[in-house]
Amino acid sequence: MIVDLQDFQRSRYWREGLNPQEVEAALRYAEERFYTLTNRHRYGYWFEPKELEIFLDGTGSQLLRSPYPIVEVIEVKVITAFGTFDITARVRARGHFLYRLDGAFPEGVANIQLLAAFGDPAYVQQEIPEDAREAVRRLAYNKLRFYRIAGEELDERRPPTESPPPPTLTGDREVDGIIRSYTIESPLFYLDIRGPIETPESEDAQNDSA
C-alpha cells in the first residue's frame, strides 16, 4: 500500500478513538482514488509493482505490446493447438514492449500468456514519493471525516457578488495539486523503437539454428 495503518498512526491525522478497520478501509479507498485520478491505474503505472497474468494477441512479428509497463518478466508462453510452449528465456522486455530474440510471436488471439510484474519503471528502485503518500493520507482523513472527496462542499456560503472557486478534483486543493503533478497521459503516444532490431543474442540464435 502507498500508506499503511502504521504510517497513518504516526501522522498528524491520527486521532484517538479512530477505528483501525475503518482507517484501513479509508486508506484503500484513498489509494484507489489517487491511482484513478492520476490515470495510473488505467495505464498500470503503480508505484509498487503488481504481479499479473495477462493474455496478449500474437502479432506475427518480434515485437509485442503490453497494456502496462513491464518491470520484470516472470514467464512467457505461446499457446497453440498442440500445447503450450515456454519462451521466457528468449524474450526481453522494455517498457510496454516484449521483444522475442529467436523469431516472431505467432499471430493469434490471446495466444501469448504473460506473467510479469507491472508498474512505473521510474519508481522501481525508489521509495514512494512523500507528497504522493501525503495525498493519500489526506484523502483518507477527509473520507473518515465524511467529507465529499470530489467537488465543493455543499454548505459553502459566499456573498452573491463573489464567484465560486474553480471546481476541484477532491475538494482539497493541496491534494489536487499533488494529483496533477503525478497525472499521466497515454504513454503509447511516445513510442520509441529506434536502434537495431538485430542483437548479438538474436544473431547467436540464428547461427545455432543454421
Side-chain angles (χ1 to χ4, degrees):
M1 294 181 66
I2 294 179
V3 178
D4 59 20
L5 177 62
Q6 289 71 32
D7 180 42
F8 191 85
Q9 288 174 326
R10 292 190 296 267
S11 75
R12 57 181 171 156
Y13 302 108
W14 180 254
R15 300 289 184 272
E16 290 298 327
L18 285 175
N19 184 305
Q21 286 75 30
E22 291 180 356
V23 172
E24 287 182 325
L27 287 171
R28 287 192 296 271
Y29 170 86
E31 180 173 315
E32 180 183 339
R33 292 295 294 160
F34 178 86
Y35 278 134
T36 299
L37 291 170
T38 58
N39 285 335
R40 289 176 172 271
H41 178 75
R42 179 179 181 183
Y43 299 121
Y45 278 68
W46 301 288
F47 291 127
E48 300 170 299
K50 295 181 183 290
E51 187 175 309
L52 302 172
E53 182 180 67
I54 62 175
F55 292 84
L56 304 174
D57 297 341
T59 58
S61 71
Q62 288 179 278
L63 280 178
L64 197 61
R65 190 178 75 183
S66 163
Y68 311 131
I70 303 165
V71 173
E72 179 186 2
V73 173
I74 300 171
E75 188 176 63
V76 184
K77 293 181 178 180
V78 177
I79 303 171
T80 72
F82 306 102
T84 302
F85 302 94
D86 191 308
I87 59 170
T88 307
R90 306 308 300 165
V91 170
R92 299 292 181 268
R94 183 175 183 182
H96 281 262
F97 291 86
L98 286 176
Y99 173 68
R100 184 172 178 179
L101 301 170
D102 61 343
F105 293 100
E107 275 191 78
V109 176
N111 64 327
I112 308 299
Q113 181 180 348
L114 170 63
L115 178 63
F118 302 95
D120 190 334
Y123 295 98
V124 171
Q125 303 298 330
Q126 301 181 29
E127 293 186 357
I128 299 173
E130 178 55 31
D131 55 351
R133 291 160 60 87
E134 177 68 3
V136 170
R137 284 191 288 262
R138 288 178 67 128
L139 283 172
Y141 179 65
N142 288 339
K143 180 69 172 176
L144 291 165
R145 295 169 69 200
F146 302 104
Y147 279 11
R148 296 174 67 225
I149 299 300
E152 297 294 325
E153 294 295 328
L154 291 176
D155 58 354
E156 276 190 319
R157 295 183 179 180
R158 60 174 58 86
T161 56
E162 181 182 321
S163 59
T168 76
L169 296 170
T170 66
D172 185 323
R173 298 190 187 284
E174 183 175 344
V175 174
D176 285 357
I178 296 172
I179 284 175
R180 289 191 178 98
S181 71
Y182 287 102
T183 297
I184 61 173
E185 302 299 330
S186 174
L188 299 183
F189 289 128
Y190 307 106
L191 170 62
D192 182 359
I193 54 173
R194 291 176 296 177
I197 293 298
E198 293 296 331
T199 67
E201 289 178 280
S202 62
E203 291 171 359
D204 291 342
Q206 290 177 357
N207 293 333
D208 292 341
S209 63

Coordinates of all heavy atoms in Angstrom, one line a residue, residues 57-134:
D57 N -2.4 -10.7 -27.8 CA -2.6 -11.3 -29.2 C -1.3 -11.3 -29.9 O -0.6 -10.2 -30.0 CB -3.6 -10.4 -29.9 CG -5.0 -10.4 -29.3 OD1 -5.3 -11.3 -28.5 OD2 -5.8 -9.5 -29.6
G58 N -0.9 -12.4 -30.4 CA 0.4 -12.5 -31.2 C 0.2 -11.7 -32.5 O -0.8 -11.6 -33.1
T59 N 1.4 -11.1 -32.8 CA 1.3 -10.1 -34.0 C 2.0 -10.6 -35.2 O 1.9 -10.0 -36.3 CB 2.1 -8.8 -33.5 OG1 3.5 -9.2 -33.2 CG2 1.5 -8.2 -32.4
G60 N 2.7 -11.8 -35.2 CA 3.4 -12.3 -36.3 C 4.7 -11.5 -36.5 O 5.4 -11.7 -37.5
S61 N 5.1 -10.7 -35.5 CA 6.4 -10.0 -35.6 C 7.2 -10.3 -34.3 O 6.7 -11.0 -33.4 CB 6.2 -8.5 -35.8 OG 5.6 -8.0 -34.6
Q62 N 8.4 -9.7 -34.2 CA 9.2 -9.9 -33.0 C 8.8 -9.0 -31.8 O 9.2 -9.2 -30.7 CB 10.7 -9.7 -33.3 CG 11.3 -10.8 -34.2 CD 12.7 -10.5 -34.5 OE1 13.0 -9.7 -35.4 NE2 13.6 -11.1 -33.7
L63 N 7.9 -8.0 -32.1 CA 7.5 -7.1 -31.1 C 6.1 -7.3 -30.6 O 5.2 -7.7 -31.5 CB 7.6 -5.6 -31.6 CG 9.0 -5.0 -31.5 CD1 8.9 -3.6 -32.1 CD2 9.5 -4.9 -30.1
L64 N 5.9 -7.2 -29.3 CA 4.5 -7.4 -28.8 C 4.3 -6.3 -27.8 O 5.1 -6.0 -26.9 CB 4.4 -8.8 -28.2 CG 3.0 -9.3 -27.9 CD1 2.3 -9.5 -29.2 CD2 3.1 -10.7 -27.2
R65 N 3.1 -5.6 -27.9 CA 2.8 -4.5 -26.9 C 2.0 -5.0 -25.7 O 1.0 -5.7 -25.9 CB 2.0 -3.4 -27.7 CG 1.9 -2.1 -26.9 CD 1.2 -1.1 -27.7 NE -0.3 -1.4 -27.8 CZ -1.1 -0.7 -28.5 NH1 -0.7 0.3 -29.2 NH2 -2.4 -0.9 -28.4
S66 N 2.4 -4.5 -24.6 CA 1.7 -4.8 -23.3 C 0.9 -3.6 -22.9 O 1.4 -2.4 -23.1 CB 2.7 -5.1 -22.2 OG 2.1 -5.0 -20.9
P67 N -0.3 -3.8 -22.4 CA -1.1 -2.6 -21.9 C -0.4 -1.9 -20.8 O -0.7 -0.7 -20.5 CB -2.4 -3.2 -21.6 CG -2.1 -4.6 -21.2 CD -1.0 -5.0 -22.1
Y68 N 0.4 -2.5 -20.0 CA 1.1 -2.0 -18.8 C 2.6 -2.0 -19.0 O 3.1 -3.0 -19.6 CB 0.7 -2.7 -17.5 CG -0.8 -2.9 -17.4 CD1 -1.3 -4.2 -17.0 CD2 -1.7 -1.9 -17.5 CE1 -2.7 -4.4 -16.9 CE2 -3.1 -2.1 -17.4 CZ -3.5 -3.3 -17.1 OH -4.9 -3.5 -16.9
P69 N 3.3 -1.1 -18.4 CA 4.8 -1.2 -18.5 C 5.3 -2.4 -17.7 O 4.9 -2.6 -16.5 CB 5.3 0.1 -17.8 CG 4.1 0.6 -17.0 CD 2.9 0.1 -17.7
I70 N 6.2 -3.1 -18.3 CA 6.7 -4.4 -17.7 C 8.0 -4.1 -16.9 O 9.0 -3.6 -17.4 CB 7.1 -5.4 -18.8 CG1 5.8 -5.7 -19.6 CG2 7.6 -6.7 -18.2 CD1 6.1 -6.3 -20.9
V71 N 7.9 -4.4 -15.6 CA 9.1 -4.2 -14.7 C 9.9 -5.4 -14.7 O 11.1 -5.4 -14.7 CB 8.6 -3.8 -13.3 CG1 9.7 -3.8 -12.3 CG2 7.9 -2.5 -13.3
E72 N 9.3 -6.6 -14.6 CA 10.0 -7.9 -14.6 C 9.2 -8.9 -15.3 O 8.0 -9.1 -15.0 CB 10.3 -8.3 -13.2 CG 11.0 -9.6 -13.0 CD 11.2 -10.1 -11.6 OE1 10.7 -9.4 -10.7 OE2 11.8 -11.2 -11.4
V73 N 9.8 -9.6 -16.2 CA 9.2 -10.8 -16.9 C 9.4 -12.0 -16.0 O 10.5 -12.3 -15.7 CB 9.8 -11.0 -18.3 CG1 9.2 -12.3 -18.9 CG2 9.5 -9.8 -19.2
I74 N 8.3 -12.7 -15.7 CA 8.4 -13.9 -14.9 C 8.2 -15.1 -15.8 O 9.0 -16.1 -15.7 CB 7.3 -13.9 -13.8 CG1 7.5 -12.7 -12.9 CG2 7.3 -15.2 -13.0 CD1 6.4 -12.4 -11.9
E75 N 7.3 -15.1 -16.7 CA 7.0 -16.2 -17.6 C 6.3 -15.8 -18.8 O 5.4 -15.0 -18.7 CB 6.2 -17.3 -16.8 CG 6.1 -18.6 -17.5 CD 5.4 -19.7 -16.7 OE1 4.2 -19.4 -16.4 OE2 6.0 -20.7 -16.3
V76 N 6.7 -16.3 -20.0 CA 6.0 -16.1 -21.2 C 5.8 -17.4 -21.9 O 6.8 -18.2 -22.1 CB 6.9 -15.2 -22.2 CG1 6.1 -14.9 -23.4 CG2 7.2 -13.9 -21.5
K77 N 4.6 -17.7 -22.3 CA 4.3 -18.9 -23.0 C 3.5 -18.7 -24.3 O 2.7 -17.7 -24.3 CB 3.5 -19.9 -22.1 CG 4.2 -20.4 -20.9 CD 3.4 -21.3 -20.1 CE 4.1 -21.9 -18.9 NZ 3.3 -22.8 -18.0
V78 N 3.7 -19.5 -25.3 CA 2.9 -19.4 -26.5 C 1.9 -20.6 -26.5 O 2.3 -21.7 -26.2 CB 3.8 -19.6 -27.8 CG1 3.0 -19.6 -29.0 CG2 4.8 -18.5 -27.8
I79 N 0.7 -20.2 -26.7 CA -0.4 -21.2 -26.7 C -0.8 -21.6 -28.1 O -1.1 -20.8 -28.9 CB -1.7 -20.7 -25.9 CG1 -1.3 -20.2 -24.5 CG2 -2.8 -21.7 -25.9 CD1 -2.4 -19.4 -23.8
T80 N -0.7 -22.9 -28.4 CA -1.0 -23.4 -29.7 C -2.0 -24.6 -29.6 O -2.3 -25.0 -28.5 CB 0.3 -23.9 -30.5 OG1 0.7 -25.1 -29.9 CG2 1.4 -22.9 -30.4
A81 N -2.4 -25.0 -30.8 CA -3.4 -26.2 -30.8 C -2.7 -27.5 -30.3 O -3.3 -28.4 -29.9 CB -3.9 -26.4 -32.2
F82 N -1.3 -27.5 -30.3 CA -0.6 -28.6 -29.9 C -0.1 -28.6 -28.5 O 0.6 -29.5 -28.0 CB 0.6 -28.8 -30.9 CG 0.2 -28.9 -32.3 CD1 0.4 -27.7 -33.1 CD2 -0.4 -30.0 -32.9 CE1 0.0 -27.8 -34.5 CE2 -0.8 -30.0 -34.2 CZ -0.6 -28.9 -35.0
G83 N -0.3 -27.5 -27.8 CA 0.1 -27.4 -26.4 C 0.7 -26.0 -26.1 O 0.6 -25.1 -27.0
T84 N 1.3 -25.8 -25.0 CA 1.8 -24.6 -24.5 C 3.4 -24.7 -24.5 O 3.9 -25.6 -23.9 CB 1.3 -24.2 -23.1 OG1 -0.1 -24.2 -23.2 CG2 1.8 -22.9 -22.7
F85 N 4.0 -23.6 -25.0 CA 5.5 -23.7 -25.1 C 6.1 -22.5 -24.4 O 5.7 -21.3 -24.6 CB 5.9 -23.6 -26.6 CG 5.4 -24.8 -27.4 CD1 4.2 -24.7 -28.1 CD2 6.0 -26.0 -27.3 CE1 3.7 -25.7 -28.8 CE2 5.5 -27.1 -28.1 CZ 4.4 -27.0 -28.8
D86 N 7.0 -22.7 -23.5 CA 7.7 -21.7 -22.7 C 8.8 -21.1 -23.5 O 9.7 -21.7 -24.0 CB 8.2 -22.3 -21.4 CG 8.7 -21.2 -20.4 OD1 9.5 -20.3 -20.8 OD2 8.2 -21.3 -19.2
I87 N 8.7 -19.7 -23.7 CA 9.8 -19.0 -24.4 C 10.4 -17.9 -23.5 O 11.0 -17.0 -24.1 CB 9.2 -18.4 -25.7 CG1 8.0 -17.4 -25.4 CG2 8.7 -19.5 -26.7 CD1 7.6 -16.6 -26.6
T88 N 10.2 -18.0 -22.2 CA 10.7 -17.0 -21.3 C 12.2 -16.6 -21.6 O 12.5 -15.4 -21.6 CB 10.5 -17.4 -19.9 OG1 9.2 -17.8 -19.7 CG2 10.8 -16.3 -18.9
A89 N 13.0 -17.6 -21.7 CA 14.4 -17.3 -21.9 C 14.8 -16.5 -23.2 O 15.9 -15.9 -23.3 CB 15.2 -18.6 -21.8
R90 N 13.9 -16.5 -24.1 CA 14.2 -15.9 -25.4 C 13.4 -14.6 -25.6 O 13.2 -14.1 -26.7 CB 13.8 -16.8 -26.6 CG 14.5 -18.2 -26.5 CD 16.0 -18.1 -26.3 NE 16.6 -17.4 -27.4 CZ 17.9 -16.9 -27.3 NH1 18.6 -17.0 -26.2 NH2 18.4 -16.3 -28.4
V91 N 12.9 -14.0 -24.5 CA 12.1 -12.8 -24.5 C 12.8 -11.7 -23.6 O 13.3 -12.0 -22.6 CB 10.7 -13.1 -24.0 CG1 9.9 -11.7 -23.8 CG2 9.9 -13.9 -25.0
R92 N 12.8 -10.5 -24.2 CA 13.3 -9.4 -23.4 C 12.2 -8.3 -23.4 O 11.4 -8.2 -24.3 CB 14.5 -8.8 -24.1 CG 15.7 -9.7 -24.2 CD 16.3 -10.1 -22.8 NE 17.4 -11.0 -22.9 CZ 17.3 -12.3 -22.9 NH1 16.1 -12.9 -22.7 NH2 18.4 -13.1 -23.0
A93 N 12.2 -7.5 -22.3 CA 11.1 -6.5 -22.1 C 11.8 -5.1 -22.0 O 12.9 -5.0 -21.5 CB 10.3 -6.8 -20.8
R94 N 11.0 -4.2 -22.6 CA 11.4 -2.8 -22.4 C 10.2 -1.9 -22.4 O 9.5 -1.8 -23.4 CB 12.3 -2.3 -23.6 CG 12.8 -0.9 -23.4 CD 13.8 -0.5 -24.5 NE 14.4 0.8 -24.3 CZ 15.2 1.4 -25.1 NH1 15.7 0.8 -26.1 NH2 15.6 2.6 -24.8
G95 N 9.9 -1.4 -21.2 CA 8.7 -0.6 -21.1 C 7.4 -1.3 -21.4 O 7.1 -2.4 -20.8
H96 N 6.7 -0.9 -22.4 CA 5.4 -1.5 -22.8 C 5.6 -2.6 -23.8 O 4.6 -3.2 -24.3 CB 4.5 -0.5 -23.4 CG 3.8 0.3 -22.3 ND1 2.5 0.1 -21.9 CD2 4.2 1.4 -21.7 CE1 2.1 1.0 -21.0 NE2 3.1 1.8 -20.9
F97 N 6.8 -3.0 -24.1 CA 7.0 -3.9 -25.2 C 7.9 -5.1 -24.9 O 8.8 -5.1 -24.0 CB 7.7 -3.2 -26.4 CG 6.8 -2.2 -27.0 CD1 6.7 -0.9 -26.5 CD2 6.0 -2.5 -28.1 CE1 5.9 0.0 -27.1 CE2 5.2 -1.6 -28.7 CZ 5.1 -0.3 -28.2
L98 N 7.5 -6.3 -25.5 CA 8.2 -7.5 -25.4 C 8.9 -7.7 -26.8 O 8.4 -7.4 -27.8 CB 7.3 -8.7 -25.2 CG 6.7 -8.9 -23.8 CD1 5.8 -10.1 -23.8 CD2 7.8 -9.1 -22.7
Y99 N 10.2 -8.2 -26.7 CA 10.9 -8.5 -27.9 C 11.4 -9.9 -27.9 O 12.0 -10.4 -26.9 CB 12.1 -7.5 -28.1 CG 13.0 -7.9 -29.2 CD1 12.6 -7.7 -30.5 CD2 14.3 -8.4 -29.0 CE1 13.5 -8.0 -31.6 CE2 15.2 -8.7 -30.0 CZ 14.7 -8.5 -31.3 OH 15.6 -8.8 -32.4
R100 N 11.0 -10.7 -28.9 CA 11.4 -12.1 -29.0 C 12.7 -12.2 -29.8 O 12.8 -11.8 -30.9 CB 10.3 -12.9 -29.6 CG 10.7 -14.4 -29.6 CD 9.5 -15.3 -30.0 NE 9.9 -16.7 -30.0 CZ 9.0 -17.7 -30.3 NH1 7.7 -17.4 -30.6 NH2 9.4 -18.9 -30.3
L101 N 13.7 -12.8 -29.2 CA 15.0 -12.9 -29.8 C 15.1 -13.9 -31.0 O 15.9 -13.8 -31.9 CB 16.1 -13.3 -28.8 CG 16.2 -12.3 -27.6 CD1 17.1 -13.0 -26.5 CD2 16.8 -11.0 -28.0
D102 N 14.4 -15.0 -30.9 CA 14.6 -16.2 -31.8 C 13.5 -16.3 -32.9 O 13.3 -17.3 -33.5 CB 14.6 -17.5 -31.0 CG 13.4 -17.8 -30.2 OD1 12.6 -16.8 -30.0 OD2 13.2 -18.9 -29.8
G103 N 12.7 -15.2 -33.1 CA 11.7 -15.3 -34.1 C 10.5 -14.4 -33.7 O 10.6 -13.6 -32.9
A104 N 9.4 -14.7 -34.4 CA 8.2 -13.9 -34.3 C 7.2 -14.5 -33.2 O 7.2 -15.7 -33.0 CB 7.5 -13.7 -35.6
F105 N 6.4 -13.7 -32.6 CA 5.3 -14.1 -31.9 C 4.2 -14.6 -32.9 O 3.8 -13.7 -33.7 CB 4.7 -13.0 -31.0 CG 5.7 -12.6 -29.9 CD1 6.4 -11.5 -30.0 CD2 5.8 -13.3 -28.7 CE1 7.3 -11.0 -29.0 CE2 6.6 -12.9 -27.7 CZ 7.4 -11.8 -27.8
P106 N 3.8 -15.8 -32.9 CA 2.8 -16.3 -33.9 C 1.5 -15.5 -33.8 O 1.1 -15.2 -32.7 CB 2.6 -17.8 -33.6 CG 3.1 -17.9 -32.2 CD 4.1 -16.9 -31.9
E107 N 0.9 -15.2 -34.9 CA -0.4 -14.5 -34.9 C -1.4 -15.3 -34.2 O -1.5 -16.5 -34.4 CB -0.8 -14.2 -36.4 CG -0.2 -12.9 -37.0 CD -0.9 -12.5 -38.3 OE1 -2.0 -12.0 -38.2 OE2 -0.3 -12.8 -39.3
G108 N -2.3 -14.6 -33.5 CA -3.4 -15.3 -32.8 C -4.1 -14.4 -31.9 O -3.6 -13.3 -31.6
V109 N -5.2 -14.9 -31.3 CA -6.0 -14.1 -30.4 C -5.7 -14.7 -29.0 O -5.9 -15.9 -28.7 CB -7.5 -14.2 -30.7 CG1 -8.3 -13.5 -29.6 CG2 -7.7 -13.6 -32.1
A110 N -5.2 -13.8 -28.1 CA -4.9 -14.2 -26.7 C -4.0 -15.5 -26.7 O -4.2 -16.4 -25.8 CB -6.2 -14.4 -25.9
N111 N -3.1 -15.6 -27.6 CA -2.2 -16.8 -27.6 C -0.9 -16.7 -27.0 O -0.1 -17.6 -27.0 CB -2.1 -17.3 -29.1 CG -1.3 -16.2 -29.9 OD1 -1.4 -15.0 -29.7 ND2 -0.5 -16.7 -30.9
I112 N -0.6 -15.5 -26.4 CA 0.6 -15.3 -25.7 C 0.3 -15.0 -24.2 O -0.4 -14.1 -23.8 CB 1.4 -14.1 -26.2 CG1 1.6 -14.2 -27.7 CG2 2.7 -14.0 -25.5 CD1 2.4 -15.4 -28.1
Q113 N 0.7 -15.9 -23.3 CA 0.4 -15.9 -21.9 C 1.6 -15.2 -21.2 O 2.8 -15.7 -21.3 CB 0.2 -17.2 -21.3 CG -0.1 -17.3 -19.9 CD -0.4 -18.7 -19.4 OE1 -0.5 -19.6 -20.2 NE2 -0.4 -18.9 -18.1
L114 N 1.4 -14.1 -20.6 CA 2.5 -13.3 -19.9 C 2.2 -13.2 -18.5 O 1.2 -12.6 -18.0 CB 2.6 -11.9 -20.6 CG 3.5 -10.9 -19.9 CD1 5.0 -11.4 -19.9 CD2 3.4 -9.5 -20.5
L115 N 3.2 -13.6 -17.7 CA 3.1 -13.4 -16.2 C 4.3 -12.5 -15.9 O 5.5 -12.8 -16.2 CB 3.3 -14.7 -15.5 CG 3.4 -14.6 -13.9 CD1 2.1 -14.1 -13.4 CD2 3.7 -16.0 -13.3
A116 N 4.0 -11.3 -15.3 CA 5.0 -10.3 -15.1 C 4.6 -9.4 -14.0 O 3.5 -9.4 -13.5 CB 5.2 -9.5 -16.4
A117 N 5.6 -8.6 -13.5 CA 5.4 -7.6 -12.6 C 5.3 -6.3 -13.4 O 6.1 -6.0 -14.2 CB 6.5 -7.5 -11.6
F118 N 4.2 -5.5 -13.2 CA 3.9 -4.3 -13.9 C 3.9 -3.1 -13.0 O 3.5 -3.2 -11.8 CB 2.6 -4.4 -14.6 CG 2.4 -5.5 -15.6 CD1 1.8 -6.7 -15.2 CD2 2.9 -5.4 -16.9 CE1 1.7 -7.8 -16.0 CE2 2.7 -6.5 -17.8 CZ 2.1 -7.7 -17.3
G119 N 4.4 -2.0 -13.4 CA 4.4 -0.8 -12.6 C 5.2 0.3 -13.3 O 5.6 0.2 -14.4
D120 N 5.4 1.4 -12.5 CA 6.1 2.6 -13.1 C 7.6 2.4 -13.0 O 8.1 2.3 -11.9 CB 5.7 3.8 -12.3 CG 6.2 5.1 -13.0 OD1 7.2 5.1 -13.7 OD2 5.6 6.2 -12.7
P121 N 8.3 2.2 -14.1 CA 9.7 1.9 -14.1 C 10.5 3.0 -13.3 O 11.6 2.8 -12.8 CB 10.1 1.9 -15.5 CG 8.9 1.6 -16.3 CD 7.8 2.3 -15.5
A122 N 10.0 4.3 -13.3 CA 10.7 5.4 -12.7 C 10.8 5.2 -11.2 O 11.7 5.8 -10.5 CB 10.1 6.7 -13.0
Y123 N 10.0 4.4 -10.6 CA 10.0 4.3 -9.1 C 10.3 2.9 -8.6 O 10.2 2.7 -7.4 CB 8.6 4.7 -8.6 CG 8.3 6.2 -8.8 CD1 7.5 6.6 -9.9 CD2 8.8 7.2 -8.0 CE1 7.2 7.9 -10.2 CE2 8.5 8.5 -8.3 CZ 7.8 8.9 -9.4 OH 7.5 10.2 -9.7
V124 N 10.8 2.0 -9.5 CA 11.0 0.7 -9.0 C 12.1 0.6 -8.0 O 12.1 -0.1 -7.0 CB 11.5 -0.2 -10.3 CG1 12.0 -1.6 -9.8 CG2 10.3 -0.4 -11.2
Q125 N 13.2 1.4 -8.2 CA 14.3 1.4 -7.2 C 14.2 2.6 -6.2 O 15.2 2.8 -5.5 CB 15.6 1.5 -8.0 CG 15.8 0.4 -9.1 CD 15.9 -1.0 -8.4 OE1 16.3 -1.1 -7.3 NE2 15.5 -2.0 -9.2
Q126 N 13.1 3.2 -6.1 CA 13.0 4.4 -5.2 C 11.8 4.1 -4.3 O 10.9 3.3 -4.5 CB 12.7 5.7 -6.0 CG 13.8 6.0 -7.0 CD 13.5 7.3 -7.8 OE1 12.8 8.2 -7.2 NE2 14.0 7.4 -9.0
E127 N 11.8 4.9 -3.2 CA 10.7 4.9 -2.3 C 9.5 5.7 -2.9 O 9.7 6.5 -3.8 CB 11.1 5.5 -0.9 CG 12.1 4.7 -0.1 CD 12.3 5.2 1.2 OE1 11.7 6.3 1.5 OE2 13.1 4.6 2.0
I128 N 8.3 5.4 -2.5 CA 7.2 6.1 -2.9 C 7.3 7.6 -2.5 O 7.7 7.8 -1.3 CB 5.9 5.5 -2.3 CG1 5.7 4.1 -2.8 CG2 4.7 6.4 -2.8 CD1 4.6 3.4 -2.1
P129 N 7.2 8.5 -3.4 CA 7.4 9.9 -3.0 C 6.5 10.4 -1.9 O 5.3 10.0 -1.8 CB 7.0 10.7 -4.3 CG 7.2 9.7 -5.4 CD 6.8 8.4 -4.8
E130 N 7.1 11.2 -1.0 CA 6.4 11.6 0.2 C 5.1 12.4 -0.1 O 4.1 12.3 0.6 CB 7.3 12.4 1.1 CG 6.7 12.9 2.4 CD 6.1 11.8 3.3 OE1 6.5 10.7 3.2 OE2 5.1 12.1 4.0
D131 N 5.2 13.3 -1.1 CA 4.0 14.1 -1.4 C 2.8 13.2 -1.9 O 1.7 13.5 -1.6 CB 4.3 15.2 -2.4 CG 4.9 14.7 -3.7 OD1 5.3 13.5 -3.8 OD2 5.0 15.5 -4.7
A132 N 3.1 12.1 -2.6 CA 2.1 11.2 -3.0 C 1.5 10.5 -1.8 O 0.3 10.3 -1.7 CB 2.6 10.1 -4.0
R133 N 2.3 10.1 -0.8 CA 1.9 9.5 0.4 C 1.0 10.5 1.2 O 0.0 10.1 1.8 CB 3.1 9.0 1.2 CG 3.8 7.8 0.6 CD 5.2 7.7 1.2 NE 5.2 7.5 2.6 CZ 5.1 6.3 3.2 NH1 5.0 5.2 2.5 NH2 5.2 6.2 4.5
E134 N 1.4 11.7 1.2 CA 0.6 12.8 1.9 C -0.7 12.9 1.3 O -1.7 13.1 2.0 CB 1.4 14.1 1.9 CG 0.7 15.3 2.5 CD 0.5 15.1 4.0 OE1 1.0 14.2 4.6 OE2 -0.2 16.0 4.6

